[in-house]
Amino acid sequence: MQSLQPDPKAQYRSVYEALKKMVLTEGLWRPLRGVNVTMLGAGPAHALYFACYEKMKKSLSEIFQSGGNSHLANGIAGSVATLLHDAVMNPAEVVKQRLQMFNSPYTSVLGCVRAVRRSEGWAAFYRSYTTQLSMNVPFQAIHFISYELLQERLNPRRRYSPASHVVAGAVAGAVAAAATTPLDVCKTLLNTQESTALSSLNIRGHLSGMANAFSTVYRLGGVAAFFKGVQARVIYQMPSTAIAWSVYEFFKYFLTKHTLEKKASS
């Protein structure tokens, strides 16, 4: 849906129409294309992400608001954690989006990696890194601040509460996703190097840099182009962040409880 000049066979007016067309014309498993490379990157990326967030949140909260919860500390911690997360996920994101393009010439993760490296060099896997950071730093700042703010309202005693973690995670993800959609559209253009869109503006070679991406998106579709796929992005982020937070909070509760019980028994 974020394609700026899609093939006539891949023009969609809604999330439902996109899903329906994909399944009918390209097969039942087409919407899951690229899931394997996402899974490979997500494990180490999220391990670094949450470990860094917790450590920095505690340290900065003591500086900004000793004994309390500082929203500024949450936002900074989330932003710094994103630097580590995206360093791992950016190459995976490039491969995933190339595989997901309509009529993609790539049939496997390894084949895509080899082809991109051969034709564009290793730099291609980090061409959108600054743009991804420009998107994810505000995304995570909004996300973490919204989540912690909602937790204060729904779960003021900060106990393990699956319902509050799911609701707060989903709402925080939706707000952050909608706010940062324009940056996501630019990131997608840099990752896919959409040939039809670039050739229509007589752009030769590879597009790089956030400023160039912003300019190209605007020239191709005006302000409206920056919000292409916003519905799909929000629908994707709501369960994604709800699951991430609920699983994270469960393991934090489980491991903390286990540690305390071990100390008590010894």
Side-chain angles (χ1 to χ4, degrees):
M1 291 185 78
Q2 287 184 337
S3 179
L4 296 168
Q5 291 204 345
D7 186 286
K9 294 178 183 177
Q11 290 181 346
Y12 316 115
R13 290 169 295 182
S14 68
V15 176
Y16 174 72
E17 184 187 13
L19 187 61
K20 184 180 176 182
K21 271 190 178 182
M22 263 193 274
V23 171
L24 291 177
T25 61
E26 302 175 70
L28 183 64
W29 300 108
R30 188 64 174 86
L32 291 176
R33 193 118 190 250
V35 68
N36 49 352
V37 70
T38 302
M39 290 172 68
L40 283 170
H46 279 78
L48 288 168
Y49 178 67
F50 281 114
C52 177
Y53 173 69
E54 280 293 337
K55 180 66 177 173
M56 286 207 68
K57 182 178 80 167
K58 288 178 182 177
S59 301
L60 292 174
S61 288
E62 285 300 314
I63 296 170
F64 296 133
Q65 193 173 329
S66 183
N69 179 43
S70 166
H71 295 306
L72 179 59
N74 297 335
I76 295 172
S79 299
V80 175
T82 302
L83 295 172
L84 296 175
H85 174 274
D86 286 2
V88 177
M89 281 304 294
N90 203 88
E93 188 75 7
V94 171
V95 175
K96 183 198 76 170
Q97 292 194 313
R98 301 250 180 164
L99 287 167
Q100 289 177 341
M101 289 174 70
F102 180 73
N103 275 341
S104 172
Y106 311 110
T107 56
S108 68
V109 172
L110 195 57
C112 179
V113 171
R114 285 172 175 166
V116 172
R117 182 194 60 77
R118 189 168 53 248
S119 61
E120 301 175 46
W122 289 111
F125 295 103
Y126 281 94
R127 189 179 287 127
S128 66
Y129 184 54
T130 53
T131 302
Q132 181 141 324
L133 284 177
S134 300
M135 176 189 74
N136 281 348
V137 167
F139 175 92
Q140 297 301 352
I142 295 168
H143 174 200
F144 280 107
I145 290 170
S146 300
Y147 179 80
E148 297 288 354
L149 191 63
L150 285 162
Q151 281 292 289
E152 285 182 359
R153 300 288 183 274
L154 300 173
N155 186 20
R157 294 188 179 182
R158 294 304 179 99
R159 293 175 176 171
Y160 174 61
S161 171
S164 74
H165 301 322
V166 168
V167 172
V171 174
V175 171
T180 56
T181 296
L183 291 161
D184 193 46
V185 172
C186 293
K187 182 204 72 175
T188 298
L189 177 62
L190 289 170
N191 278 347
T192 60
Q193 297 291 312
E194 195 180 334
S195 56
T196 307
L198 298 184
S199 61
S200 69
L201 295 177
N202 295 318
I203 296 174
R204 295 180 181 179
H206 303 299
L207 190 71
S208 62
M210 190 170 69
N212 288 333
F214 260 95
S215 172
T216 304
V217 172
Y218 184 77
R219 287 166 67 192
L220 286 165
V223 175
F226 288 103
F227 290 92
K228 295 195 81 171
V230 64
Q231 289 176 310
R233 183 164 159 76
V234 169
I235 291 170
Y236 154 70
Q237 285 292 349
M238 286 184 75
S240 173
T241 48
I243 291 167
W245 276 112
S246 58
V247 171
Y248 170 68
E249 294 282 8
F250 166 75
F251 277 103
K252 189 167 79 168
Y253 163 76
F254 175 78
L255 294 170
T256 303
K257 185 183 177 184
H258 179 71
T259 303
L260 291 173
E261 287 175 350
K262 196 173 179 181
K263 283 181 179 179
S265 63
S266 62

